[in-house]
Amino acid sequence: MRIEFILNGQKRSCEVRPERRLLDFLREDLHLTGTKEGCGEGECGACTVILNGKAVHSCLVMVGQLDGCELLTIEGLEKNGELDAIQKAFIKKSAIQCGFCTAGMVMSAKALLMENPHPSDEEITRAISGNICRCSGYREIKAAIRAAADGV
Amino acid sequence: MLVKEYRQPTTLSELADALVQMTEESRLLAGGTDLIIDIKNHPREIPLLVSLCKVPELYGTGVENCEAGDDGSEPEKRFLRIGTMETHAAIAADPMVRKYARALAEACDHVGSRQVRNRGTIGGSLGNASVAGDMLPVLYLLHARLQIFGMDGNLRRIPATELIAGVGKTTLTPQEMIFAVEIPMEENRDSCFVKLGGRQEVTIAEISLGLSWARDKEVFEAVEGVLGAVDVRPIPVPEAGEILNGTLGTPAECDRLAEALSARITAIRMKRKRPPKLRIREGEREYKERAIRGVVYDAVDATRH
Ligand SMILES: Cc1cc2nc3c(=O)[nH]c(=O)nc-3n(C[C@H](O)[C@H](O)[C@H](O)COP(=O)(O)OP(=O)(O)OC[C@H]3O[C@@H](n4cnc5c(N)ncnc54)[C@H](O)[C@@H]3O)c2cc1C
Ligand code: FES
Ligand code: FES
């Protein structure tokens, strides 16, 4: 099946097996390995991408349904060699340890700020509550998202 | 996984044509949040997978004036119609749903995580016929009905209470699908929904309780209740009205209601023929019977919001 979609701001047209998981399509076919697989069943959030402006699990999307959609992955956040404010804040606040959850966390945070540029602390907690981090206590992660939202 | 044929119809007539080809082994694909996990856990060949995401008529929430039932008894009734492909997130945020079906908005708002709510649909939640699903108890509570679309391109309606045939099984044929949910709009009623563990994210309900009642009264009036996730189907609990009507829902009433519902859960457990699959201790066996007390307190609390 041929699908057309927008990937990180660029029009793409690809021949795909529609029942493939979006996660495998990204990692194996497009070699966009920033998106990670943790559980493969919607529990950990490591595979989070932004589809039509909403955070979703790429492990739970079939790629045939990508046709006509706009997709943003972690690779699409950097603009002209400059990291996104959320990525910078994650570095500044040391919100990364092993890093496995980071891409998913950043994408959940990005989806939140795209929808709601001035979230409350509770809204931040809620937005990343489907993202599991096994290294940290989430404190630095939330602080990083807060800092990105506040523009500091 | 081997999908022999994948179809993504864009019109109702293409959808009907695809339904004609459906067999027991074929599947409809809505958001995929259940189906992809199911296929992963039970790898098998799927002869036909029909993706619903491109059919515009399967989306949208709006008011519908239509006949209430085949008997035509309440010709002027208004319904809130929710398309099968509407996501939990969209339903939870919809002002009309919040006003006329608050219990549904609350249930949708507490499904899984943000990512699941952005992708999972109301139709998929009903189609999987899961005992632990949060949508059906609410649809029982709100006396909702379902529009069913068939391969002849026609719609029929069934009460939501007629959807479940057994664990994981609906009464629909493989050539039929849920098209929309219709909820009667009651100006003078309010409703709420709580589930055990509902304050955390990514919880599947172990017990849920929905209540509805007459709005703006001094005391509880005309209370209805539905218990979810304790049996194959949601269970209407007239005890909720018997105990709460005419009261303020004080701790004494909450305790009485909890006791009555606890007895219900015990009765369901006793009638089960097969012993539970998991080896559990005595205390755990009676967990739901005890935990219902907290759920009742939360639900009565939620009626005040
Ligand atoms: C991490 C996680 C947490 C979850 N938490 C909750 C929770 O708290 N509460 C809850 O209720 N659920 C929960 N779920 C279950 C799940 O999100 C819902 O059941 C989901 O919304 C299903 O919708 P879908 O669109 O993804 O369905 P799909 O996966 O696409 O389909 C599910 C099933 O329904 C059938 N189907 C789809 N559309 C139709 C239709 N229109 N007519 C007939 N059959 C149809 C499909 O063939 C399939 O068998 C959770 C899931 C995950 C992964
Ligand atoms: S890999 Fe998708 S949620 Fe864990
Ligand atoms: S940094 Fe290791 S899982 Fe989050």
Side-chain angles (χ1 to χ4, degrees), chain A residues 1 18-19 39-41 43 45 48 51 54-57 59-62 64-65 67-68 108 126-127 129-131, chain B residues 1 3 6 8 29-33 36-37 39-40 49 51 53-54 109-110 113 115-119 201-202:
Chain A
M1 172 180 177
E19 74 276 17
C39 63
E41 36 192 68
E43 299 282 349
T48 302
L51 190 60
K54 309 271 179 204
V56 302
H57 294 129
C59 71
L60 297 184
V61 176
M62 280 194 197
Q65 295 194 325
D67 186 47
S108 281
R126 223 173 163 228
S129 57
N131 291 75
Chain B
M1 162 192 21
V3 173
Y6 179 97
Q8 202 150 269
L29 171 67
T33 64
I36 294 174
I37 297 174
I39 295 173
K40 178 176 161 217
L49 189 60
S51 159
C53 69
K54 293 270 190 185
D109 206 30
H110 289 96
S113 57
Q115 293 94 320
V116 175
R117 292 193 291 276
N118 280 340
R119 191 77 197 154
E201 297 289 315
V202 201

Side-chain angles (χ1 to χ4, degrees), chain B residues 33-53:
Chain B
T33 64
D34 271 324
L35 189 64
I36 294 174
I37 297 174
D38 177 54
I39 295 173
K40 178 176 161 217
N41 294 339
H42 308 281
R44 61 193 190 260
E45 189 179 286
I46 297 190
L48 176 60
L49 189 60
V50 178
S51 159
L52 303 176
C53 69

Side-chain angles (χ1 to χ4, degrees), chain B residues 145-220:
Chain B
R145 52 187 204 183
L146 306 175
Q147 286 185 345
I148 308 297
F149 183 75
M151 61 176 178
D152 53 5
N154 292 329
L155 288 179
R156 67 185 179 96
R157 294 191 166 89
I158 60 169
T161 48
E162 286 175 16
L163 180 69
I164 300 296
V167 177
K169 272 192 72 74
T170 70
T171 52
L172 307 188
T173 69
Q175 292 81 33
E176 289 182 313
M177 56 169 277
I178 297 160
F179 190 77
V181 171
E182 293 177 327
I183 298 170
M185 293 166 70
E186 305 270 1
E187 295 290 341
N188 302 318
R189 289 187 75 77
D190 197 357
S191 61
C192 70
F193 175 85
V194 300
K195 65 179 176 182
L196 190 64
R199 290 211 189 80
Q200 293 155 19
E201 297 289 315
V202 201
T203 47
I204 295 272
E206 290 186 74
I207 317 177
S208 62
L209 180 62
L211 293 178
S212 69
W213 61 94
R215 208 193 278 273
D216 300 327
K217 304 281 180 186
E218 300 275 301
V219 290
F220 275 117

Side-chain angles (χ1 to χ4, degrees), chain A residues 62-119:
Chain A
M62 280 194 197
V63 77
Q65 295 194 325
L66 185 60
D67 186 47
C69 293
E70 186 165 352
L71 181 68
L72 182 61
T73 69
I74 188 77
E75 288 85 355
L77 292 197
E78 186 186 312
K79 290 267 150 30
N80 307 321
E82 195 175 329
L83 293 179
D84 187 90
I86 300 171
Q87 292 171 303
K88 286 186 194 160
F90 266 63
I91 296 168
K92 198 158 160 214
K93 295 281 175 189
S94 306
I96 306 158
Q97 289 185 39
C98 81
F100 202 82
C101 71
T102 308
M105 282 292 179
V106 169
M107 295 315 281
S108 281
K110 180 74 186 170
L112 170 69
L113 297 189
M114 281 163 60
E115 214 173 278
N116 175 4
H118 304 289

